[in-house]
């Protein structure tokens, strides 16, 4: 009877151990495996090697399932943010390229404007020189005109004097 009791005790202890091992394996598959999956995905995200479209499989409706849903929502938000950042970077690159092109155009226009300003300054100097020559010529013409008027006045006076002089008979 004592051997039978000992055998029954061993059977109960063995059954309890088998039950505990089964529960432990169930715990490992239901709890630890999803947590390991989350840890692996987080490690990939941390290294920058993760495809942010990847999601955890939700296999339960317990706390682990809630954790997986929250994790998937978090990864989706990061993915959306990264897409937005990528779009902003692309837009920024396009803006930089446009500004670079505009800068080149402005440099070219500034060079052309500078060349035009130099040509305009040279032309203005020539106009000033021409005006000075014209002024000098005008003063010379005025002086010449005055001299002609003076001569004309003297000639007129002499002509009047000559016309009023009596004519002497010719001497023979």
């Amino acid at each position: 009877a004592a051997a039978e009791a000992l055998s029954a005790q061993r059977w109960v202890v063995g059954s309890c151990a088998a039950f505990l091992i089964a529960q432990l394996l169930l715990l490992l598959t239901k709890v630890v495996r999803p947590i390991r999956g989350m840890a692996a995905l987080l490690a990939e995200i941390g290294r920058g090697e993760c495809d942010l479209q990847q999601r955890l499989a939700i296999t339960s409706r317990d706390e682990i399932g809630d954790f997986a849903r929250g994790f998937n929502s978090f990864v989706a938000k990061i993915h959306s943010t990264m897409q937005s950042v990528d779009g902003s970077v692309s837009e920024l690159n396009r803006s930089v390229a446009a500004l670079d092109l505009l800068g080149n155009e402005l440099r070219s226009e500034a060079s052309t404007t500078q060349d035009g300003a130099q040509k305009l300054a040279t032309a203005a100097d020539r106009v000033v020189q021409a005006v000075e020559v014209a002024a000098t010529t005008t003063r010379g013409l005025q002086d010449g005109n005055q001299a002609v008027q003076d001569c004309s006045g003297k000639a007129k006076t002499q002509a009047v004097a000559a016309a009023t002089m009596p004519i002497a008979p010719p001497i023979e």
Side-chain angles (χ1 to χ4, degrees), residues 8-167:
Q9 266 183 337
R10 285 184 184 162
W11 186 82
V12 169
V13 168
S15 295
C16 285
F19 179 75
L20 286 175
I21 290 172
Q23 288 299 317
L24 186 58
L25 288 175
L26 181 63
L27 180 67
L28 286 174
T29 59
K30 293 285 187 175
V31 175
V32 175
R33 189 172 293 151
I35 290 175
R36 280 187 183 158
M38 288 178 218
L41 194 54
L42 275 173
E44 286 180 25
I45 290 172
R47 288 189 305 268
E49 300 172 359
C50 180
D51 174 12
L52 293 177
Q53 293 178 338
Q54 183 179 345
R55 301 292 184 267
L56 292 175
I58 300 171
T59 58
S60 65
R61 294 179 185 234
D62 57 8
E63 291 81 8
I64 298 298
D66 291 342
F67 188 60
R69 275 187 285 286
F71 183 82
N72 286 345
S73 176
F74 169 71
V75 171
K77 182 67 173 172
I78 290 173
H79 183 243
S80 173
T81 301
M82 291 303 294
Q83 286 178 323
S84 176
V85 167
D86 285 345
S88 295
V89 166
S90 295
E91 182 65 29
L92 183 60
N93 285 337
R94 284 190 296 276
S95 295
V96 166
L99 285 173
D100 188 43
L101 180 64
L102 181 60
N104 289 337
E105 289 175 5
L106 287 174
R107 276 190 288 282
S108 175
E109 290 297 323
S111 177
T112 301
T113 301
Q114 184 179 13
D115 290 345
Q118 287 174 343
K119 288 178 183 175
L120 183 61
T122 300
D125 286 342
R126 288 182 183 158
V127 167
V128 167
Q129 290 172 357
V131 167
E132 288 172 353
V133 168
T136 301
T137 304
T138 301
R139 279 192 295 276
L141 288 174
Q142 286 173 342
D143 291 345
N145 186 30
Q146 186 63 45
V148 168
Q149 285 178 0
D150 290 345
C151 285
S152 173
K154 286 180 187 175
K156 193 178 190 184
T157 303
Q158 288 177 359
V160 168
T164 58
M165 264 182 167
I167 299 185

